[in-house]
Amino acid sequence: MNYILKDENAVYYECGFSCDNELFIRLPDTAYFITDPRYTVEAKEQVKGAEVVEARDLFKAARSIFKKERIKKLFYDPKEFSCADLRALERSGIYLQPKRDLSWRKRIVKSEKEIELIRRSVELNAQAFSEFALFLRSAAGMSEAELVYEAKGFLSRRGKYELSFEPIFALNENAAKPHAYPTEKKLKKGDLILFDAGIKYERYCSDRTRTAYFDEQIDFVKEQRFADPKIRRAYDTVKKAQEAAIEGARSGMQAKQIDAIAREIIEKSEFAGSFVHSLGHGVGLDIHEMPFINTKNSQIIEDGMVFTIEPGIYIPGEFGIRIEDMVVMRNGRAEVL
Amino acid sequence: MNYILKDENAVYYECGFSCDNELFIRLPDTAYFITDPRYTVEAKEQVKGAEVVEARDLFKAARSIFKKERIKKLFYDPKEFSCADLRALERSGIYLQPKRDLSWRKRIVKSEKEIELIRRSVELNAQAFSEFALFLRSAAGMSEAELVYEAKGFLSRRGKYELSFEPIFALNENAAKPHAYPTEKKLKKGDLILFDAGIKYERYCSDRTRTAYFDEQIDFVKEQRFADPKIRRAYDTVKKAQEAAIEGARSGMQAKQIDAIAREIIEKSEFAGSFVHSLGHGVGLDIHEMPFINTKNSQIIEDGMVFTIEPGIYIPGEFGIRIEDMVVMRNGRAEVL
């Protein structure tokens, strides 16, 4: 299959290098990596299995390659290319056939090597959660914004690792916003902390969320002792939903069946209606990729797929709770990474 | 003009809020901000002048609005929407007319208020450069990667400000890669340091580059004393090119005429061919936006436009030099911010 890619992670998967301005063309016997002069020094050092082409206008260079290689038809992902990009490719006169999620589909089942990299990413991330918890024990009085900064120091090991996304550190009612931005709100004893963060290890992402009760003993373990009875009930419901989904997930199920396991527990509780997002998402080179574990996806789950299981309960103006782990499907079941 | 936007900064410009999953529809008498349930709490608090619509499928919600408002035609930026997005909008049956750089064109001339925010962003960024230089005086032995992390602490004031891009901190031959990734290379006396960084102040970006000689006296000022004669000649050439462009820029000129002022100086020197990128780019809500100051752009420069002037000389395997400041056009001339 001849295809063209533009997305950084899609391209990295093909040739072991990417930058923020590139096109990658895969042909039966050859491949091309097209980039501008800012990146050619590194590209020539690091791209594997593709010829590096330097160009100021990447699309013009791509059209030249189409002509030289007498390409008639090329697949592309319509989500990856803008309308303007497509027009620039179509000027070549070749037939561009859309194939949605072209790269994600190739990447949905992870190789053993990828699983090992993801496992290491998850381990390093979990260690950072523990180290950050120790720091938090004496961090009362610091703001959410300051604590996000401190968290990033632990997560990245002071710059050694990239983060897979901007961490979320949200207190009490701010945690009710599933993607909260940090505020000047100060940490104090008795607060609920929602912490959602991940790193990249050799470009492979990790993603974890813990919700914890704040005092001098804070730890991001799953056993928590919230003082407020409503928070306690909500926490136990989320925990039960998460455990049930991990326990119940099977290769051969549809993604939506896994979502349903967790959702049913929350919907049957007093917190019905408060689980406002999907149960999980695949994780790999992208922090969000296939398979998507939501109420509608009939994708069949297979061994080797890696995804999050992250139910939540959000009570606007009061609190939010989410517990998230990553799993890999192995021998038909979900193994927590 | 009716139009639809998707880009975060384009949407923020319209209504003072944005998130990472949204559509914005502007109609003559009204506007809509469509987002998913993760963001509606914050959107309802912060969106100005638009109705917030919560939806799981943003494009479906947009089609409902097209119908309800009896919209026949809508402009969109073909760079902003993917082929898949466009297909989802076209299912409504309305006519979608491409208008390239729709939002960037609106934003190319900055208001006084925007210029003040950008000025503050530039000031805070410059202060961080000074503070980081003081830190560097006793940082010999630290690696590029560690120093990027330290730089981010100074730039962000430990998390108070967002960065406008991942900073570049590159030593000697690594600086020859105009967008270098940090390595484990250690800082030592006599090194050339290229440092390119920016922050955001109330979402407005700054961008600055300095190239400096490293010893215990390091400072990111424009007067530098490199020991190596070739580096000294290259540095002086870049500095002269930058000063000439700042001095020579006029409202009413074409962008490419400003690029030519700097480029001619480098091309006439012994370093001909080593200035491998464009002279500058607009800066505002986006770190790279219109006007683009390159060899081809015939865009007329006007008062109120804000852009970088950043010539460079790159000698692969040896060193790279770049000096970058931001300017605003005022009374026909470039004022350094």
Side-chain angles (χ1 to χ4, degrees):
Chain A
M1 188 174 74
N2 295 344
Y3 52 87
I4 184 162
L5 301 171
K6 184 189 174 190
D7 173 75
E8 286 199 42
N9 286 327
V11 172
Y12 177 81
Y13 189 76
E14 303 285 330
C15 68
F17 180 75
S18 69
C19 55
D20 71 2
N21 191 35
E22 71 210 347
L23 288 173
F24 183 91
I25 302 170
R26 169 71 68 195
L27 302 176
D29 303 314
T30 179
Y32 293 91
F33 182 99
I34 312 170
T35 189
D36 71 59
R38 293 173 302 170
Y39 298 109
T40 37
V41 174
E42 272 155 323
K44 283 178 182 168
E45 284 166 14
Q46 295 180 47
V47 167
K48 287 181 208 81
E51 183 181 328
V52 175
V53 175
E54 179 175 303
R56 276 172 196 281
D57 181 339
L58 308 194
F59 289 92
K60 194 173 161 189
R63 291 193 302 267
S64 298
I65 291 167
F66 299 165
K67 201 167 173 186
K68 188 183 86 176
E69 295 277 1
R70 297 159 189 259
I71 296 169
K72 297 265 182 298
K73 186 174 112 173
L74 208 55
F75 285 94
Y76 77 102
D77 184 340
K79 278 171 41 190
E80 199 173 330
F81 288 85
S82 73
C83 306
D85 294 338
L86 189 68
R87 220 158 289 167
L89 292 174
E90 282 175 343
R91 280 179 52 195
S92 63
I94 72 166
Y95 174 55
L96 287 144
Q97 182 165 333
K99 189 176 170 72
R100 217 172 157 117
D101 303 322
L102 189 158
S103 175
W104 272 357
R105 284 170 205 267
K106 291 182 72 173
R107 286 149 52 195
I108 190 168
V109 171
K110 270 63 181 174
S111 70
E112 283 304 312
K113 185 173 173 217
E114 288 183 291
I115 292 168
E116 282 320 301
L117 295 175
I118 294 170
R119 195 186 296 280
R120 182 73 184 131
S121 184
V122 170
E123 273 171 14
L124 289 164
N125 194 39
Q127 282 168 18
F129 269 63
S130 301
E131 288 161 21
F132 182 48
L134 292 179
F135 172 86
L136 283 173
R137 290 178 181 189
S138 54
M142 290 181 75
S143 71
E144 286 179 347
E146 288 167 331
L147 288 166
V148 165
Y149 178 78
E150 296 298 334
K152 286 156 100 172
F154 287 100
L155 292 161
S156 72
R157 267 68 168 180
R158 302 186 72 77
K160 188 168 176 198
Y161 302 112
E162 274 185 64
L163 305 187
S164 47
F165 57 95
E166 185 68 15
I168 294 170
F169 182 94
L171 300 174
N172 307 317
E173 70 276 17
N174 288 347
K177 304 168 186 172
H179 277 228
Y181 298 107
T183 70
E184 290 309 308
K185 198 181 217 334
K186 303 263 191 296
L187 179 64
K188 62 179 193 313
K189 186 171 173 167
D191 279 349
L192 172 149
I193 294 174
L194 186 150
F195 182 48
D196 184 352
I199 65 151
K200 293 187 192 182
Y201 177 72
E202 295 189 12
R203 300 195 55 142
Y204 281 84
C205 297
S206 48
D207 193 356
R208 164 184 296 246
T209 306
R210 290 291 182 267
T211 307
Y213 176 76
F214 177 65
D215 61 12
E216 314 76 34
Q217 304 294 313
I218 185 176
D219 204 348
F220 288 121
V221 292
K222 287 199 189 169
E223 300 305 321
Q224 293 290 330
R225 265 174 284 182
F226 291 96
D228 181 277
K230 186 175 175 186
I231 295 180
R232 216 153 52 206
R233 293 196 306 274
Y235 187 85
D236 290 344
T237 305
V238 172
K239 185 162 168 283
K240 201 172 137 197
Q242 205 228 12
E243 287 165 353
I246 292 170
E247 186 53 43
R250 293 287 182 281
S251 296
M253 273 184 177
Q254 294 181 346
K256 65 184 173 189
Q257 292 178 284
I258 301 177
D259 181 289
I261 298 170
R263 197 166 302 275
E264 192 176 280
I265 289 169
I266 295 171
E267 287 308 307
K268 283 191 173 158
S269 77
E270 65 181 295
F271 303 104
S274 66
F275 177 22
V276 293
H277 54 70
S278 56
L279 181 65
H281 54 84
V283 180
L285 291 168
D286 283 324
I287 182 64
H288 296 117
E289 58 177 53
M290 292 169 77
F292 293 97
I293 315 296
N294 58 34
T295 57
K296 290 183 180 161
N297 190 2
S298 56
Q299 166 93 51
I300 300 295
I301 297 303
E302 294 173 42
D303 274 15
M305 289 184 181
V306 171
F307 52 90
T308 67
I309 296 191
E310 49 175 315
I313 287 176
Y314 308 93
I315 312 293
E318 295 185 45
F319 62 84
I321 287 162
R322 182 164 66 253
I323 305 174
E324 174 184 31
D325 286 291
M326 281 170 57
V327 301
V328 56
M329 298 305 293
R330 285 273 201 199
N331 304 314
R333 304 181 70 120
E335 175 192 319
V336 176
L337 283 164
Chain B
M1 187 174 76
N2 295 344
Y3 52 87
I4 185 163
L5 302 171
K6 184 188 174 191
D7 173 76
E8 286 197 41
N9 286 328
V11 172
Y12 177 81
Y13 188 76
E14 303 284 331
C15 69
F17 180 76
S18 69
C19 56
D20 72 0
N21 191 33
E22 70 212 346
L23 288 173
F24 184 89
I25 302 170
R26 169 71 68 193
L27 303 177
D29 303 315
T30 179
Y32 293 91
F33 182 100
I34 312 171
T35 189
D36 71 60
R38 292 173 303 170
Y39 298 109
T40 38
V41 174
E42 272 155 324
K44 284 177 181 169
E45 285 166 13
Q46 295 180 48
V47 167
K48 287 181 209 80
E51 183 181 328
V52 175
V53 175
E54 178 175 305
R56 276 173 195 281
D57 180 339
L58 307 195
F59 288 93
K60 195 174 163 189
R63 291 194 302 266
S64 297
I65 290 167
F66 299 164
K67 202 169 174 184
K68 188 183 86 176
E69 295 277 2
R70 295 158 191 262
I71 297 169
K72 298 266 183 299
K73 185 175 114 173
L74 210 55
F75 285 94
Y76 75 102
D77 183 341
K79 276 169 47 190
E80 198 174 331
F81 288 84
S82 73
C83 307
D85 293 339
L86 189 68
R87 218 158 288 169
L89 292 173
E90 283 175 342
R91 280 178 53 196
S92 64
I94 73 166
Y95 175 54
L96 287 144
Q97 183 165 331
K99 189 174 170 71
R100 215 170 158 119
D101 303 322
L102 189 160
S103 174
W104 272 356
R105 284 170 205 268
K106 291 183 71 173
R107 287 150 51 194
I108 190 168
V109 172
K110 270 61 181 175
S111 70
E112 284 304 312
K113 190 179 168 211
E114 288 182 292
I115 292 168
E116 282 320 301
L117 295 175
I118 293 169
R119 195 186 296 280
R120 184 71 185 131
S121 184
V122 170
E123 273 171 15
L124 289 165
N125 195 39
Q127 282 168 19
F129 269 64
S130 302
E131 288 161 21
F132 182 48
L134 292 180
F135 172 87
L136 283 173
R137 291 178 179 191
S138 52
M142 289 180 77
S143 71
E144 287 179 346
E146 288 167 330
L147 288 166
V148 166
Y149 178 77
E150 296 298 335
K152 287 156 101 172
F154 287 99
L155 293 161
S156 73
R157 269 64 168 181
R158 302 186 71 76
K160 190 169 175 200
Y161 302 111
E162 274 186 63
L163 305 187
S164 48
F165 57 95
E166 186 68 16
I168 294 170
F169 182 94
L171 299 175
N172 308 317
E173 71 275 19
N174 289 347
K177 304 167 185 172
H179 276 226
Y181 299 108
T183 70
E184 290 309 309
K185 197 179 216 339
K186 303 262 190 297
L187 179 64
K188 61 178 192 315
K189 187 171 170 166
D191 280 349
L192 171 148
I193 294 174
L194 185 149
F195 182 49
D196 184 352
I199 65 150
K200 293 186 192 184
Y201 177 72
E202 296 191 10
R203 300 197 53 145
Y204 281 84
C205 296
S206 48
D207 194 356
R208 166 184 295 248
T209 306
R210 290 292 181 267
T211 307
Y213 177 76
F214 177 65
D215 62 13
E216 315 75 32
Q217 305 293 314
I218 184 175
D219 204 348
F220 288 121
V221 292
K222 287 198 189 169
E223 300 305 321
Q224 293 290 330
R225 265 175 283 184
F226 291 96
D228 182 277
K230 185 174 177 187
I231 294 179
R232 215 153 51 206
R233 294 195 306 275
Y235 187 85
D236 290 344
T237 306
V238 172
K239 185 162 167 282
K240 201 172 139 200
Q242 205 229 13
E243 287 166 353
I246 293 169
E247 187 52 43
R250 292 288 182 278
S251 296
M253 273 185 176
Q254 295 182 346
K256 64 185 174 189
Q257 292 178 283
I258 302 177
D259 181 288
I261 299 171
R263 197 167 302 276
E264 193 176 280
I265 290 169
I266 296 171
E267 288 307 307
K268 283 190 175 159
S269 78
E270 66 183 294
F271 303 104
S274 65
F275 177 21
V276 293
H277 54 71
S278 56
L279 181 65
H281 54 84
V283 180
L285 291 169
D286 283 324
I287 182 65
H288 296 115
E289 58 178 53
M290 291 168 77
F292 292 97
I293 315 297
N294 58 35
T295 57
K296 291 183 181 163
N297 191 2
S298 55
Q299 165 92 52
I300 301 295
I301 297 303
E302 294 173 41
D303 274 15
M305 290 184 180
V306 171
F307 52 90
T308 67
I309 296 191
E310 48 175 315
I313 287 176
Y314 307 93
I315 312 294
E318 296 185 45
F319 62 84
I321 286 161
R322 182 164 65 253
I323 305 175
E324 173 185 32
D325 286 290
M326 281 169 57
V327 300
V328 57
M329 297 306 294
R330 286 271 202 202
N331 305 315
R333 302 181 72 116
E335 174 193 319
V336 176
L337 284 165

